[in-house]
Amino acid sequence: MTLTTESFDTLLHEVRQFIRDECMPFEQQIDRDDQIPEPLVQRMRALGLFGHSIPREYGGAGLSTEQLARVNIEVSQAATTFRARFGGNTGIASESLVVDGTPAQKQAWLPRLASGELTGCFALTEAQAGSDATALQTVAERDGDDYLLSGRKCFITNAPIAGLFTVFARTEPGTIGAKGISAFLVERGTPGLHTPPAYRKMGQHGSPVGEVVLARCRVPASAIVGHAPGQGFRTAMKALNKQRINLAALCVGPAIRLVDEMVGFASARQQFGQAISEFQLVQQMIAESNTEVHAARALVLETARMRDAGVDVTMEASMCKLFASEMCGRVADRAVQVFGGSGYIADNVAERFYRDVRLFRLYEGTSQIHLVNIARRTMARARAAEPALA
Ligand SMILES: Cc1cc2nc3c(=O)[nH]c(=O)nc-3n(C[C@H](O)[C@H](O)[C@H](O)COP(=O)(O)OP(=O)(O)OC[C@H]3O[C@@H](n4cnc5c(N)ncnc54)[C@H](O)[C@@H]3O)c2cc1C
């Protein structure tokens, strides 16, 4: 059951206040220190931000896809690192459990993810398995009632601080591609699981991303999501499909913020004896940005509503992620341009967002991978609609 419109409006208002009043003032400090102050994380927990997408019977808010998209558009108007702190728990790090977990697995983990007691992470990517995730080499070797996990995951958001890892590994030796992959729930502290320090990154400072090393890490067979060996890749794709709408919404928020920042700066900055906002070439950058924000927002919300209505939106979710992430990159680039030289200097809002949003075109499917998916599905639909030859 989802929230009533009235309760949702209250929740959205609370989130907006928190983001504007309590998070935005810390953006520069976090960008420099690469760390979110713990009292802010406590506030995120108290406000229930870790559990928005988790069903209400497990302690979450049970938001619909559309409601979650609207929250994401709000939270991402502050530096993207804030959302990255709790966003795994309301997306990719809990969704495998939500869609395919057994009742006992859901009971064991979802309340702790919803409260923010545990931070989750989704460990799929490996050095040789990025866009082609089915090339993963992490193996899970059967040993009595247990499995021994061995391998190395890279680029895993929140790995350095996570308490629960959804690890994808091959359980059927000799299989290739999507077959024979299983999703395991592994708790920090399990012997054989180790996380090296976080990488240094271009942006999204404060959001730790790192490796997960598995050295004959012993887990019971009951740790496989849904107790369904070999179904892990299907589970991953279900989680990623929803996540693409979430991520597209997260691209809209920064663009809204940057349009506001462009307008504010352009109105104040004087050149040639007048505000630069009077120049039509500057106005063009603002107008194009705002138009693209509007288009992306409409696309995301419409796709979210279709998903809530039970429509298969696999292709449309890909379109959302592609369009919104590319749009956000263009808006961030224009923002730097409107700010002029100051947009290139550290601590400028456009400079920071420019670095932060670059990631959106890379993870959860690069733009090229989404283009390939969209083309394939578009042509398949066209073929399906062709009349059969007699
Ligand atoms: C900060 C950060 C956080 C991340 N968080 C997570 C996480 O939490 N969990 C997780 O599992 N992963 C995570 N990732 C991994 C991310 O999803 C991958 O980096 C991404 O899928 C791309 O894989 P790759 O880096 O290996 O690039 P590659 O797949 O090697 O791609 C390199 C280039 O080749 C292009 N390319 C590849 N295949 C094709 C093709 N068929 N057609 C056309 N072009 C192609 C790509 O578009 C890209 O331009 C994260 C990455 C980063 C940087």
Side-chain angles (χ1 to χ4, degrees):
M1 212 182 53
T2 52
L3 287 185
T4 61
T5 307
E6 204 172 277
S7 315
F8 177 68
D9 286 347
T10 308
L11 178 150
L12 197 61
H13 178 73
E14 246 180 28
V15 168
R16 184 176 300 140
Q17 292 302 115
F18 171 66
I19 286 296
R20 280 160 204 243
D21 300 347
E22 299 178 55
C23 294
M24 284 185 187
F26 282 97
E27 288 176 327
Q28 283 188 15
Q29 177 189 316
I30 293 168
D31 188 44
R32 278 195 301 265
D33 298 352
D34 203 9
Q35 188 147 27
I36 302 180
E38 192 51 30
L40 265 186
V41 180
Q42 284 297 357
R43 284 284 292 142
M44 292 171 184
R45 292 190 182 107
L47 287 167
L49 298 184
F50 284 86
H52 278 159
S53 68
I54 293 175
R56 292 172 78 177
E57 63 263 42
Y58 298 110
L63 297 190
S64 67
T65 316
E66 182 187 358
Q67 289 171 334
L68 191 60
R70 291 178 62 196
V71 169
N72 282 338
I73 289 173
E74 210 53 63
V75 297
S76 58
Q77 290 179 44
T80 53
T81 188
F82 296 110
R83 194 270 170 186
R85 182 63 187 84
F86 55 81
N89 286 28
T90 66
I92 204 160
S94 65
E95 196 59 22
S96 302
L97 264 168
V98 171
V99 290
D100 280 340
T102 64
Q105 287 172 334
K106 291 182 186 187
Q107 199 54 61
W109 300 113
L110 289 177
R112 298 172 70 194
L113 289 168
S115 67
E117 173 201 332
L118 278 184
T119 296
C121 75
F122 179 90
L124 177 63
T125 302
E126 298 176 10
Q128 304 307 325
S131 296
D132 181 8
T134 62
L136 64 81
Q137 292 169 3
T138 296
V139 291
E141 187 192 329
R142 188 84 203 213
D143 185 36
D145 289 340
D146 300 334
Y147 282 92
L148 296 171
L149 300 177
S150 301
R152 194 176 190 106
K153 300 289 178 179
C154 65
F155 301 152
I156 307 303
T157 302
N158 285 331
I161 56 170
L164 180 66
F165 301 73
T166 306
V167 175
F168 294 85
R170 201 169 285 285
T171 37
E172 292 170 39
T175 54
I176 54 165
K179 280 191 188 157
I181 293 173
S182 304
F184 288 86
L185 299 162
V186 189
E187 196 170 9
R188 182 177 292 280
T190 308
L193 182 145
H194 161 70
T195 56
Y199 308 110
R200 288 181 61 234
K201 320 192 267 357
M202 174 192 287
Q204 303 218 0
H205 297 160
S207 164
V209 177
E211 294 188 334
V212 181
V213 181
L214 300 143
R216 293 178 69 77
C217 173
R218 183 177 290 277
V219 289
S222 59
I224 294 182
V225 174
H227 296 176
Q231 296 302 308
F233 200 71
R234 199 183 289 243
T235 298
M237 288 304 112
K238 285 188 210 167
L240 280 167
N241 269 342
K242 182 175 183 201
Q243 180 61 16
R244 281 165 185 161
I245 303 177
N246 295 343
L247 191 74
L250 293 171
C251 297
V252 174
I256 291 175
R257 168 82 177 277
L258 287 169
V259 169
D260 285 349
E261 298 283 354
M262 279 189 248
V263 169
F265 179 82
S267 309
R269 173 73 176 162
Q270 299 265 325
Q271 285 295 279
F272 299 97
Q274 62 189 85
I276 61 166
S277 60
E278 299 297 318
F279 299 124
Q280 288 183 338
L281 289 176
V282 173
Q283 289 174 5
Q284 179 182 6
M285 290 191 272
I286 293 169
E288 286 181 344
S289 297
N290 206 17
T291 304
E292 291 198 69
V293 167
H294 187 68
R297 189 174 189 279
L299 180 66
V300 170
L301 293 179
E302 173 61 13
T303 307
R305 280 191 285 271
M306 283 166 67
R307 185 178 185 277
D308 286 336
V311 178
D312 174 3
V313 294
T314 308
M315 179 170 80
E316 289 75 8
S318 233
M319 289 171 163
C320 284
K321 198 279 179 178
L322 171 70
F323 182 76
S325 61
E326 292 285 334
M327 175 281 298
C328 190
R330 287 191 294 272
V331 171
D333 187 70
R334 291 190 199 107
V336 171
Q337 198 68 16
V338 167
F339 273 80
S342 56
Y344 194 73
I345 301 299
D347 282 349
N348 177 283
V349 65
E351 182 266 348
R352 192 183 63 247
F353 270 104
Y354 183 83
R355 287 185 282 111
D356 285 352
V357 305
R358 186 63 186 84
L359 180 59
F360 292 148
R361 289 187 268 162
L362 293 170
Y363 66 0
E364 294 174 20
T366 65
S367 293
Q368 288 71 32
I369 293 301
H370 286 290
L371 284 166
V372 169
N373 285 343
I374 294 163
R376 205 178 47 225
R377 285 180 182 272
T378 303
M379 291 188 283
R381 276 191 196 176
R383 275 197 298 274
E386 277 172 10
L389 292 176

